[in-house]
Amino acid sequence: MGASNYTYAEATRSQDTYDWIGSNIRALEFFGGVPRAIVPDNLKSGVTSADRYEPDVNPTFQDFARHYCVAILPCRVREPRDKAKVEKGVQVVETRILAALRNRTFFSLTDLNAAIRELLTDLNARATRDIPASRRVMFETTDLPAMSPLPVARYELAEQTKAKVHLDYHIDVDRHYYSVHYSHIGKSVDVRTTERIVEIF
């Protein structure tokens, strides 16, 4: 977090869209609120094409942002000053958490994240060198009051794809066929799929 340096960290299997969005959801739940803006790096799960002036945010990440009413402001390419706080936070996590776990063996992601969470609690409770208060105290007095509350419902991960309407006015979504109006034959449609719903636009 910007003002307090309050830190969240977790381990994931990959940096694909589902893991990326899931990490963002859990981070917001950890913070207990939603900031006005998220400044991500330019990884493909978050930013489809990095551009200095008009970056193209991944449609699923944009859908996540709409749900939480938060702005996505990707940092500029090769501009480390845009994310100096994050770079420093990564360095602190590597020193205080990864270094402490380097000689331990974990057999599940759940066990690893439980160990990370313990060390993360200690990290956020520790007084910093510059300010006598801990990151947690600073977060509760500076960042948290400026955050919006979490929405009632958690964001449901949705995959955004495109599909072409076949001659039989159906589209193929993961080997399942859905019909659309016959006037769309040969056209491209946008498809949004969750675990429960398939939406075609």
Side-chain angles (χ1 to χ4, degrees):
M1 293 304 291
S4 62
N5 295 325
Y6 193 57
T7 303
Y8 175 75
E10 72 172 26
T12 59
R13 293 190 189 283
S14 71
Q15 284 188 346
D16 70 10
T17 304
Y18 283 100
D19 284 337
W20 169 250
I21 302 290
S23 293
N24 277 272
I25 291 168
R26 289 184 291 277
L28 294 180
E29 290 171 352
F30 174 80
F31 295 132
V34 182
R36 292 185 184 153
I38 294 175
V39 182
D41 205 347
N42 287 294
L43 76 162
K44 284 291 182 190
S45 299
V47 180
T48 308
S49 66
D51 182 79
R52 188 173 185 88
Y53 303 105
E54 288 293 329
D56 188 19
V57 176
N58 180 309
T60 305
F61 196 32
Q62 191 64 51
D63 194 41
F64 157 85
R66 242 187 318 278
H67 179 81
Y68 285 100
C69 297
V70 62
I72 304 295
L73 304 172
C75 61
R76 294 170 296 171
V77 178
R78 294 182 195 87
E79 289 290 342
R81 287 176 298 172
D82 285 2
K83 53 182 177 139
K85 284 258 183 194
V86 174
E87 296 293 345
K88 181 63 177 171
V90 168
Q91 184 182 13
V92 169
V93 166
E94 286 175 345
T95 305
R96 301 277 180 198
I97 296 176
L98 288 181
L101 299 175
R102 71 182 175 272
N103 295 323
R104 291 178 58 186
T105 303
F106 297 94
F107 296 100
S108 75
L109 204 53
T110 305
D111 293 342
L112 174 57
N113 279 320
I116 289 172
R117 185 59 69 102
E118 282 178 33
L119 294 169
L120 188 61
T121 302
D122 293 342
L123 171 69
N124 285 323
R126 179 188 299 254
T128 59
R129 211 175 15 192
D130 303 331
I131 303 165
S134 69
R135 287 177 172 84
R136 174 134 191 106
V137 170
M138 290 298 295
F139 170 74
E140 289 170 353
T141 57
T142 57
D143 287 322
L144 190 57
M147 296 173 80
S148 303
L150 288 166
V152 176
R154 188 183 212 204
Y155 174 71
E156 187 174 12
L157 281 168
E159 185 177 356
Q160 312 272 345
T161 57
K162 289 196 175 292
K164 187 172 181 180
V165 181
H166 301 292
L167 287 173
D168 61 357
Y169 57 87
H170 282 73
I171 62 167
D172 177 8
V173 179
D174 294 331
R175 297 204 177 261
H176 296 283
Y177 297 93
Y178 299 91
S179 63
V180 298
H181 195 267
Y182 72 89
S183 63
H184 299 297
I185 291 173
K187 295 179 182 172
S188 182
V189 293
D190 294 320
V191 181
R192 181 179 182 272
T193 55
T194 68
E195 286 185 355
R196 302 176 298 114
I197 297 171
V198 175
E199 295 175 292
I200 303 166
F201 303 97

